[in-house]
C-alpha cells in the first residue's frame, strides 16, 4: 500500500505526495484558489521539483477520472485552511508580460489587486522584499500574498490580462 503524506502549506494550500516505485516522489499541491499542480521530485529531496504541471479545474477532473478518482479527491474539495482569507502563490513572469524588464512599482500591484509581491525567485536565488525599483525579468517567479481573489488578479495582471 502506498503511504500518502499530507503537508499543510499555510496560505498556499495542501501538498499530497508519496514515494513512487522508481525512486521519484509524486504529488499534488492543491492551491487555495482551487488550482491543482502535479509534480515529480527526487525521493531524497522532495523540495527539488523536477517537473510540475498546473492543471485547470477541468484538466484536474479529467485526470482524476482517468485515474479512477479516490477519497482524496473528495477530501481535497472539503479542505479548510489554517489562515482564513489569506492566500499565497508563485506566479511565473512570461516573456509576453507587459512588466518583463520593468520596475516592480509600475505594476501598481497593491493598488490594482490588493496583493503584495513579497519575494522574487530568479535563477534559483531568492530576492526577499523587492522594492518598487526592482526590475522584473522574463522567467522570474514572484511570490504574491493577498486574498484568494487578489492573488488570481495578480497572476492575470502579471501575465498581461485584464484584472477587472
Amino acid at each position: 500500500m502506498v503511504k500518502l503524506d499530507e503537508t499543510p502549506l499555510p496560505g498556499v494550500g495542501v501538498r499530497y505526495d508519496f514515494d513512487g516505485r522508481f525512486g521519484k516522489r509524486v504529488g499534488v499541491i492543491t492551491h487555495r484558489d482551487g488550482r491543482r499542480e502535479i509534480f515529480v521530485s527526487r525521493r531524497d529531496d522532495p523540495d527539488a521539483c523536477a517537473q510540475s504541471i498546473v492543471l485547470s479545474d477541468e484538466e484536474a477532473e479529467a485526470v482524476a477520472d482517468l485515474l479512477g478518482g479516490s477519497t482524496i479527491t473528495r477530501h481535497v474539495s472539503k479542505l479548510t485552511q489554517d489562515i482564513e482569507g489569506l492566500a499565497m502563490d508563485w506566479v511565473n513572469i512570461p516573456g509576453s508580460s507587459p512588466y518583463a524588464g520593468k520596475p516592480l512599482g509600475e505594476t501598481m500591484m497593491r493598488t490594482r489587486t490588493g496583493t503584495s509581491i513579497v519575494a522574487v525567485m530568479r535563477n534559483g536565488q531568492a530576492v526577499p522584499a523587492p522594492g518598487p525599483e526592482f526590475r522584473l525579468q522574463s522567467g522570474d517567479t514572484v511570490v504574491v500574498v493577498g486574498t484568494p481573489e487578489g492573488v488570481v488578479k495578480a497572476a492575470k495582471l502579471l501575465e498581461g490580462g485584464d484584472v477587472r
Side-chain angles (χ1 to χ4, degrees):
M1 180 164 172
V2 173
K3 180 186 177 285
L4 185 65
D5 295 320
E6 178 179 331
T7 307
L9 303 173
V12 176
V14 178
R15 173 183 171 147
Y16 297 93
D17 56 339
F18 63 92
D19 286 329
R21 191 169 82 186
F22 297 105
K24 299 292 183 188
R25 193 117 179 116
V26 180
V28 173
I29 296 175
T30 302
H31 293 260
R32 289 186 60 137
D33 65 5
R35 287 179 303 116
R36 308 291 194 285
E37 184 174 354
I38 297 175
F39 67 90
V40 177
S41 63
R42 295 191 336 236
R43 184 178 289 168
D44 64 338
D45 186 0
D47 293 327
C49 182
Q51 184 71 36
S52 72
I53 301 170
V54 177
L55 301 174
S56 68
D57 288 344
E58 295 82 17
E59 292 167 334
E61 287 176 18
V63 170
D65 287 345
L66 289 170
L67 297 175
S70 72
T71 57
I72 293 171
T73 305
R74 290 187 296 279
H75 177 68
V76 166
S77 68
K78 297 177 185 174
L79 283 174
T80 58
Q81 300 300 312
D82 293 336
I83 305 172
E84 290 298 323
L86 179 65
M88 179 171 68
D89 205 355
W90 290 262
V91 178
N92 293 316
I93 305 293
S96 61
S97 172
Y99 300 104
K102 302 276 176 77
L104 182 60
E106 284 190 23
T107 66
M108 296 178 56
M109 184 66 65
R110 192 170 299 122
T111 302
R112 296 171 77 185
T113 69
T115 64
S116 296
I117 294 176
V118 297
V120 176
M121 294 296 299
R122 179 178 289 161
N123 300 322
Q125 299 294 315
V127 179
E133 72 289 344
F134 182 87
R135 287 192 175 273
L136 295 172
Q137 292 181 1
S138 173
D140 284 352
T141 300
V142 299
V143 181
V144 180
V145 176
T147 64
E149 299 80 19
V151 168
V152 170
K153 285 182 179 180
K156 287 180 182 175
L157 176 70
L158 292 169
E159 292 167 356
D162 188 7
V163 296
R164 286 183 245 173

